[in-house]
Amino acid sequence: MSGQTSPDAGTPEPSTPPTATDKPADREFDIVVFGATGFVGRLTARHLAEFAPAGTRIALAGRTETKLAEVRRGLPAAASSWPLIVADASSPSSLDAMVARTRVVCTTVGPYLRYGEALVVAAATAGTDYVDLTGEVPFVHYSIDKAHETAQATGARIVHSCGFDSIPSDLGTYLLYRKVTDDDAGTLTDTTMVLRSMRGGVSGGTIDSMRVIAEEAKDPQTRRLLLNPQALSGDPGDTPKVNMSSEPSDIAVVRARNVDPSLTGTLAPFFMSSYNTRVVRRSNVLLDNAYGPDFHYAETMNVGGIPILSALLAGGVSVGTGAFLGAMSFGPTRRLLDRVLPKPGSGPGEKSMQKGYFVSETYTRTSTGRRYRSQMKLSGDPGYRATAVMLGESALTLALEGPELPARSGVLTPAAAMGDALVERLRVAGAAFDVRELT
């Protein structure tokens, strides 16, 4: 999906990354990129080749050694000696062998409901940190049930959703919490992320995940899980039973001034809010409900500030989102959509990706009545290049920033697992963050 351009969409030039410090040689590798022959896998490998500190031990993994070698030949010189590992999502023994060799496994192999279950259990069992790009509520729910307690016992950090879903959402709220706490301004109450502007498209992998979710949603139990605003907030085997109205609607059209008096027009639903909101709420639980007893979270999308026009556009987005999801669950219409939607493993050209960007803003009013806004900007197509930056930096954070990380293990979120350390690495990689009180 394309968004409107913005004159302030640029981000600062990346500075030179620091040199890696000495690390325990308990594993052969610091990071293994699993799925390196896929489109986003290649982009992630390229980012690591360009930005990983000297001495970082990285390997590429996938089903076919010849294809891995071809990918390696197309990467910057720093990757020329990276080892290749043959591993297959359908072969649990190959996954066990792979995760036993690395401190962090970084996987782009989705849809994760089809291809990710064995890997997340293998990583948790081996005590290996894990990052992925999932946007699938049922998969994360499975991960909590099957891997959380094991990961806590082994010390593994299983961190889902380390791309456009859901780092802007999760870190945007986390940074508000840190600022409000530092200012002794109370706690967060109604908090809303606004996708202010973006240029780029929905990745083929995201579309493929939507196909899988549409099929899974035919099951009544899965459908109830998808509609539960606290679906990911419980302990293993425990899904909180709450009313849908306990949190803001994921498909509501919202008057912008209700989010913050500085905004105008009408805001549309953000198409990934039904996933991102669950991640942010899980972060709050993992942080011992630090965001506050009256914390509620929603996501929206800017469609312009002209009142009548933005209202029409927002209404169209709301109707269109529902129609699209319905069409994806109905065989004949889905086959028609499949002819025009991006295919998994494919992506835009280099020039198109370079022109992409996103700007997200998260607004809150605190329990003391003060207003705050956090902002994140990152260049690159959100679903591809920017996602590769966020995923790659998440893997590097887990691999290299151990002393700076919170003392948590289990099935975590980006904010709960990495917090400030990830923010700082993303800044070095070109992301711009701004957090301020509004007057």
Side-chain angles (χ1 to χ4, degrees):
M1 183 185 68
S2 298
Q4 53 191 358
T5 58
S6 169
D8 64 351
T11 58
E13 289 296 318
S15 58
T16 303
T19 300
T21 57
D22 292 337
K23 301 172 290 295
D26 57 333
R27 299 289 173 94
E28 185 178 356
F29 305 116
D30 296 309
I31 299 170
V32 168
V33 181
F34 181 51
T37 59
F39 194 87
V40 177
R42 291 196 301 272
L43 291 175
T44 304
R46 176 172 293 277
H47 177 79
L48 291 172
E50 293 174 347
F51 285 89
T56 310
R57 303 164 299 171
I58 300 173
L60 304 177
R63 289 184 299 175
T64 309
E65 187 170 4
T66 55
K67 291 183 178 179
L68 289 169
E70 181 181 352
V71 168
R72 185 175 59 185
R73 285 193 294 271
L75 297 176
S80 61
S81 61
W82 286 359
L84 308 178
I85 300 173
V86 175
D88 192 327
S90 65
S91 170
S93 62
S94 72
L95 301 179
D96 290 341
M98 177 181 69
V99 299
R101 300 173 68 183
T102 186
R103 299 175 67 185
V104 179
V105 61
C106 170
T107 175
T108 64
V109 180
Y112 295 89
L113 274 169
R114 286 180 181 164
Y115 306 119
E117 293 180 352
L119 179 58
V120 79
V121 172
T125 302
T128 299
D129 290 347
Y130 164 108
V131 291
D132 71 17
L133 295 173
T134 189
E136 304 159 35
V137 168
F139 174 69
V140 179
H141 191 267
Y142 168 91
S143 180
I144 294 167
D145 282 351
K146 301 298 182 181
H148 182 69
E149 291 177 343
T150 300
Q152 285 185 315
T154 63
R157 300 176 179 91
I158 306 298
V159 192
H160 299 296
S161 316
C162 292
F164 189 49
D165 304 317
S166 305
I167 280 181
S169 310
D170 206 27
L171 292 188
T173 306
Y174 173 79
L175 287 171
L176 284 176
Y177 153 69
R178 290 300 305 272
K179 175 66 172 172
V180 168
T181 301
D182 288 346
D183 289 355
D184 194 22
T187 56
L188 309 185
T189 63
D190 292 335
T191 303
T192 303
M193 191 276 277
V194 179
L195 183 61
R196 192 67 173 172
S197 58
M198 66 173 282
R199 180 172 183 170
V202 180
S203 73
T206 297
I207 295 297
D208 210 24
S209 291
M210 289 181 177
R211 293 185 182 99
V212 172
I213 293 295
E215 286 296 321
E216 293 285 329
K218 294 177 181 179
D219 174 67
Q221 184 174 348
T222 301
R223 193 158 56 247
R224 286 193 295 271
L225 180 69
L226 292 168
L227 293 173
N228 186 336
Q230 300 288 352
L232 305 181
S233 298
D235 294 323
D238 173 34
T239 304
K241 294 179 173 60
V242 295
N243 295 325
M244 287 178 59
S245 59
S246 66
E247 290 289 343
S249 169
D250 296 318
I251 57 172
V253 172
V254 179
R255 187 183 179 193
R257 286 188 61 82
N258 290 344
V259 172
D260 190 82
S262 65
L263 302 177
T264 60
T266 302
L267 299 170
F270 179 43
F271 64 93
M272 285 304 295
S273 65
S274 61
Y275 179 74
N276 294 333
T277 55
R278 278 65 171 168
V279 172
V280 172
R281 291 169 195 145
R282 179 165 179 79
S283 288
N284 185 37
V285 170
L286 292 169
L287 294 169
D288 297 323
N289 296 302
Y291 294 168
D294 297 316
F295 172 72
H296 298 283
Y297 181 75
E299 294 197 341
T300 61
M301 183 170 63
N302 176 43
V303 289
I306 302 173
I308 296 177
L309 180 59
S310 64
L312 291 172
L313 290 172
V317 169
S318 181
V319 172
T321 299
F324 175 77
L325 294 175
M328 288 291 283
S329 65
F330 183 56
T333 53
R334 193 172 83 178
R335 284 191 289 272
L336 290 174
L337 289 173
D338 285 345
R339 296 179 182 178
V340 297
L341 292 172
K343 302 295 188 294
S346 64
E350 184 67 25
K351 289 184 179 179
S352 177
M353 286 193 293
Q354 287 180 346
K355 292 178 180 178
Y357 70 89
F358 72 85
V359 180
S360 64
E361 297 178 342
T362 307
Y363 295 83
T364 196
R365 186 179 293 274
T366 74
S367 57
T368 62
R370 294 163 69 173
R371 295 163 39 237
Y372 287 81
R373 186 214 69 190
S374 67
Q375 183 186 76
M376 179 179 180
K377 301 179 185 178
L378 185 59
S379 294
D381 187 297
Y384 295 99
R385 183 171 295 283
T387 279
V389 172
M390 290 183 275
L391 180 64
E393 292 301 322
S394 295
L396 288 168
T397 301
L398 291 178
L400 306 181
E401 306 292 345
E404 306 301 321
L405 298 177
R408 294 188 184 91
S409 57
V411 176
L412 307 174
T413 60
M418 296 176 279
D420 298 326
L422 178 58
V423 171
E424 291 309 309
R425 286 208 68 91
L426 287 171
R427 279 197 173 109
V428 171
F433 293 94
D434 179 74
V435 192
R436 63 181 62 188
E437 183 173 6
L438 302 175
T439 57

